[in-house]
Amino acid sequence: MFDTVLVANRGEIAVRVIRTLRALGVRSVAVFSDADADARHVREADTAVRIGPAPAAESYLSAERILEAAARTGAQAVHPGYGFLAENAGFARACADAGLVFIGPPAEAISLMGDKIRAKETVQAAGVPVVPGSSGSGLTDARLADAAREIGMPVLLKPSAGGGGKGMRLVRDAEKLADEITAARREARASFGDDTLLVERWIDRPRHIEIQVLADGHGGVVHLGERECSLQRRHQKIIEEAPSVLLDEETRAAMGEAAVQAARSCRYEGAGTVEFIVPGGDPKSYFFMEMNTRLQVEHPVTELVTGLDLVEWQLRVAAGERLPFAQAEIRLTGHAVEARICAEDPSRGFLPSGGTVLKLHEPQGDGVRTDSGLGEGTEVGSLYDPMLSKVIAYGPDRATAIRKLRAALAETVVLGVQTNAGFLRRLLAHPAVVAGELDTGLVEREVEGLVSADVPEAVYVAAALLRQAGLAPRRSGWVDPFSVPGGWRLGGERAWTAHHMRVPGHDPVTVRVRGTGDGDVEVLLDGEERSLQRSLRRAKSLLPGTREDLRFTFRLDGVAHTFAALPGGTWLGRDGDAWHVRDHDPVAASLTRAAHSGADSLTAPMPGTVTVVKVAVGDEVTAGQSLLVVEAMKMEHVISAPHAGTVTELDVTPGTTVAMDQVLAVIAPHDEEGVAAQ
């Protein structure tokens, strides 16, 4: 085994790898950019080396700086994690040239399987079924379009050099092929430095099932069962589980053997994943999609059902050990489900979010595991991938695992950064998900019902409790009992204190609060008395200006809700939705998610970089016309004209870095005669 290993990555995967290194007694070396100087992976490693400024191209993607760090710290091997240089054949070769062991497959396997066109040809020759599609590399736009028409619509455009859904385009209308090919090439070039595309037949309502393989350097290859990854949004996995409810033992064995043959066809070593597309109505008809030559984000679900530490076996194989178990010895026990927590706002179309993590609670134990790179004070920006952490639950069966995961997501609090935790929790309760009736389009079809624009009643109640606590006297020593907002009065029932709240776009809501006399409280929500139990252990510290832990819990109609409050009135519900409580006058408070600019202003929907500007000041535009493209966290967002008009202001150029809600341009609308109004 190695003495020292450098982890060439950041965030939750770096923390995850460091955990196994520590368990094996191996010294860990972290690398960090200026943006990550105080990051959790830096604190948890045995030593850490700065490798450059914040942009990934000048730090985490710089092979030269990472190899320099390895040399300075005496590292014998490099673990690339996933993303960045993990599937970079040139980096694997550079490690070998520097006398370092690359903890991953040989560079030749990375290169072969990283080219989706060559990969399909290779595994097909080994007898693995592949999806019908274009053949040959370097196809022009015209030849791609011709191939798509020959295959028949709909088709899927895919970058040959990458994965993770980046640059993928589902095209149902042949007339849109040219525009979609251009957009796919642009995103592929930005994500992978290679805009080569291929086109494949789109399988309607498919399921995405992948097989985990493990191979040593002595010819031993086994598979560790499958993972169901069909719950996706924009081709990005968001919920994964093992095993899949779709497969019977016969199909599982056949797909596993196909994955083993795919690994053998490229002389694979280490942990890898062979991905298949499976028609939901005919699971025995499966097709090879691609092979990921690295550790997968969802590897924890395989670890929980097999009992194997995949990072440990990556290390052991890289150190030259043989696999000590045969295929017949691999057993899948129980069920595991994983949810990816991302910095994004479901209420705003899942646009990336950012901010400082002010309060953090991540569940662990009793069949629940959280892999995270977060800590209180962590700055979440737009430079890197939006995934913050992963919450994984294990149980003896699927129903138990899902129930545990929903409960764990309910406990997850990331105050200061908007996340998708609440959305994932609602998704796991969807009847189709509970029944295991999955496909890769399910989330997109059901997304409107899973992203509610309504304000939860618990939000209004929490705001009222927060304001009620603010009425309490703050001085120490003797307190005038008549100044305490307990509702006591001479002769008669206790009095209610009314709190009026307004949320833009919603009817006003009044919550009345009064003490019960035994330290608890009661509430009336819009005139209806509701059952409420409140935790007083921390609610007592909810005083204006205090800097104590302001997390408080209450039960409304038997359901527990946890909120964390901060001085200044910002607080977060347990489902991940952040709200601002602002007092405009002694009578009413305003609850808002975020400020919005005027209807004529085009604002940045997320912090990021402007990559494309298609108009200039004075240009006439039509409603819905594409004007700019903003990129953040490897995702493009097209900014379109809200109405017909004239561009009167344009404050950005390609390359401009913008903040969320920053004004990018102003479109003066046309009057009834088609003239821009002044």
Side-chain angles (χ1 to χ4, degrees):
M1 183 50 66
F2 309 107
D3 294 324
T4 302
V5 173
L6 181 143
V7 183
N9 218 295
R10 63 179 299 280
E12 59 87 18
I13 184 55
V15 174
R16 161 72 189 91
V17 173
I18 290 168
R19 183 172 70 236
T20 290
L21 292 173
R22 184 182 302 115
L24 294 174
V26 178
R27 178 171 170 260
S28 59
V29 178
V31 294
F32 63 92
S33 71
D34 289 342
D36 285 335
D38 297 320
R40 179 175 168 183
H41 75 279
V42 174
R43 298 194 304 269
E44 294 200 7
D46 294 311
T47 189
V49 179
R50 176 189 178 274
I51 53 172
E58 302 174 53
S59 51
Y60 296 108
L61 288 172
S62 173
E64 180 181 359
R65 294 184 179 184
I66 290 173
L67 294 178
E68 288 175 355
R72 287 171 53 190
T73 56
Q76 300 159 304
V78 174
H79 194 299
Y82 39 68
F84 294 134
L85 297 171
E87 294 180 284
N88 187 304
F91 179 62
R93 293 189 183 95
C95 287
D97 292 343
L100 296 166
V101 174
F102 178 79
I103 300 176
E108 294 73 18
I110 296 175
S111 179
L112 175 58
M113 289 297 163
D115 183 333
K116 290 186 174 61
I117 296 170
R118 291 176 59 211
K120 285 181 64 176
E121 295 171 347
T122 300
V123 301
Q124 188 173 25
V128 179
V130 301
V131 181
S134 60
S135 60
S137 59
L139 298 184
T140 63
D141 289 5
R143 290 186 63 188
L144 278 170
D146 289 342
R149 293 187 182 94
E150 182 178 344
I151 294 167
M153 310 303 289
V155 297
L156 191 64
L157 297 170
K158 298 172 66 173
S160 178
K166 304 296 188 297
M168 289 176 62
R169 290 287 195 280
L170 172 59
V171 188
R172 296 186 180 274
D173 186 349
E175 293 183 359
K176 296 181 179 180
L177 273 170
D179 289 342
E180 294 290 355
I181 289 171
T182 298
R185 284 200 192 278
R186 181 173 63 245
E187 191 172 350
R189 185 165 51 250
S191 299
F192 314 114
D194 183 345
D195 65 1
T196 303
L197 301 179
L198 68 150
V199 60
E200 290 180 345
R201 176 196 296 170
W202 172 253
I203 298 174
D204 203 32
R205 297 212 171 189
R207 295 180 76 137
H208 183 142
I209 296 178
E210 60 190 30
I211 307 291
Q212 176 72 58
V213 296
L214 195 59
D216 61 28
H218 307 278
V221 186
V222 297
H223 71 84
L224 306 181
E226 82 281 1
R227 296 186 287 257
E228 173 87 57
C229 304
S230 297
L231 291 177
Q232 304 179 7
R233 197 184 61 78
R234 295 174 182 163
H235 305 296
Q236 292 275 13
K237 306 166 191 173
I238 54 178
I239 300 284
E240 302 101 347
E241 59 182 298
S244 169
V245 297
L246 182 67
L247 305 188
D248 56 27
E249 287 300 327
E250 181 183 354
T251 307
R252 176 173 294 115
M255 290 182 68
E257 179 57 28
V260 168
Q261 292 305 317
R264 291 188 187 281
S265 72
C266 65
R267 300 179 184 275
Y268 200 82
E269 294 179 24
T273 302
V274 181
E275 303 197 348
F276 294 91
I277 192 96
V278 183
D282 184 13
K284 294 185 183 300
S285 298
Y286 51 87
F287 303 100
F288 170 89
M289 287 196 302
E290 62 183 351
M291 183 174 188
N292 288 297
T293 54
R294 54 172 169 78
L295 198 66
Q296 289 282 88
V297 174
E298 56 273 21
H299 76 273
V301 296
T302 297
E303 292 185 321
L304 290 175
V305 298
T306 62
L308 298 173
D309 183 327
L310 292 184
V311 174
E312 176 181 349
W313 282 105
Q314 283 186 297
L315 292 162
R316 292 190 179 282
V317 166
E321 293 188 23
R322 293 177 180 269
L323 295 179
F325 37 77
Q327 187 63 60
E329 299 175 77
I330 305 297
R331 294 283 185 272
L332 307 184
T333 304
H335 204 95
V337 191
E338 173 183 291
R340 302 187 185 193
I341 307 299
C342 295
E344 60 185 15
D345 188 348
S347 69
R348 301 184 68 181
F350 295 90
L351 295 175
S353 63
T356 302
V357 178
L358 304 172
K359 294 288 181 182
L360 180 67
H361 175 70
E362 297 177 316
Q364 296 278 7
D366 190 25
V368 174
R369 159 180 164 183
T370 299
D371 285 7
S372 171
L374 293 177
E376 293 189 0
T378 297
E379 293 285 343
V380 178
S382 62
L383 290 169
Y384 310 121
D385 190 271
M387 192 178 74
L388 305 175
S389 62
K390 304 174 306 196
V391 183
I392 313 101
Y394 174 81
D397 51 54
R398 186 172 186 268
T400 302
I402 289 178
R403 187 167 58 249
K404 283 189 175 184
L405 183 54
R406 292 193 71 241
L409 290 172
E411 295 180 13
T412 300
V413 175
V414 188
L415 178 59
V417 179
Q418 189 70 27
T419 76
N420 62 341
F423 170 80
L424 296 174
R425 188 165 173 246
R426 291 187 289 274
L427 174 60
L428 286 166
H430 190 282
V433 175
V434 173
E437 298 171 355
L438 315 176
D439 66 78
T440 58
L442 172 65
V443 175
E444 300 293 355
R445 292 194 305 273
E446 303 294 332
V447 69
E448 290 187 8
L450 297 170
V451 180
S452 174
D454 294 335
V455 181
E457 290 181 339
V459 168
Y460 289 118
V461 172
L465 294 178
L466 188 66
R467 299 184 81 226
Q468 181 85 357
L471 297 175
R474 284 179 285 173
R475 61 181 179 273
S476 59
W478 182 84
V479 175
D480 180 357
F482 291 96
S483 68
V484 177
W488 181 87
R489 62 184 177 185
L490 182 64
E493 294 184 354
R494 291 179 175 270
W496 296 94
T497 301
H499 300 278
H500 306 287
M501 263 84 69
R502 294 188 294 258
V503 175
H506 298 266
D507 293 335
V509 169
T510 297
V511 180
R512 290 176 170 83
V513 181
R514 71 177 180 185
T516 63
D518 58 2
D520 218 329
V521 294
E522 297 174 324
V523 297
L524 279 171
L525 187 58
D526 269 345
E528 180 185 354
E529 188 165 352
R530 309 296 291 273
S531 168
L532 176 70
Q533 295 175 300
R534 183 186 60 170
S535 168
L536 297 177
R537 288 176 297 174
R538 293 183 175 178
K540 288 181 179 178
S541 67
L542 289 174
L543 304 178
T546 181
R547 294 190 178 277
E548 298 176 38
D549 183 357
L550 304 185
R551 184 178 299 148
F552 62 108
T553 300
F554 62 87
R555 286 184 176 271
L556 181 64
D557 296 334
V559 179
H561 301 273
T562 299
F563 288 82
L566 287 180
T570 301
W571 46 280
L572 177 75
R574 68 184 301 167
D575 270 353
D577 292 330
W579 295 83
H580 299 276
V581 186
R582 296 182 295 175
D583 289 332
H584 290 289
D585 55 59
V587 177
S590 176
L591 300 175
T592 58
R593 288 179 184 268
H596 296 280
S597 301
D600 300 339
S601 299
L602 300 179
T603 60
M606 53 192 176
T609 302
V610 175
T611 57
V612 177
V613 177
K614 300 181 179 180
V615 293
V617 172
D619 284 358
E620 302 288 321
V621 298
T622 58
Q625 180 180 335
S626 173
L627 308 179
L628 308 103
V629 176
V630 177
E631 181 182 310
M633 296 180 177
K634 302 180 182 179
M635 185 181 79
E636 285 189 347
H637 185 78
V638 178
I639 309 296
S640 302
H643 46 241
T646 302
V647 180
T648 58
E649 294 182 29
L650 183 65
D651 300 327
V652 295
T653 59
T656 300
T657 300
V658 295
M660 181 179 291
D661 292 324
Q662 178 178 329
V663 175
L664 309 176
V666 176
I667 310 298
H670 288 156
D671 60 21
E672 293 182 357
E673 298 180 357
V675 180
Q678 300 297 321

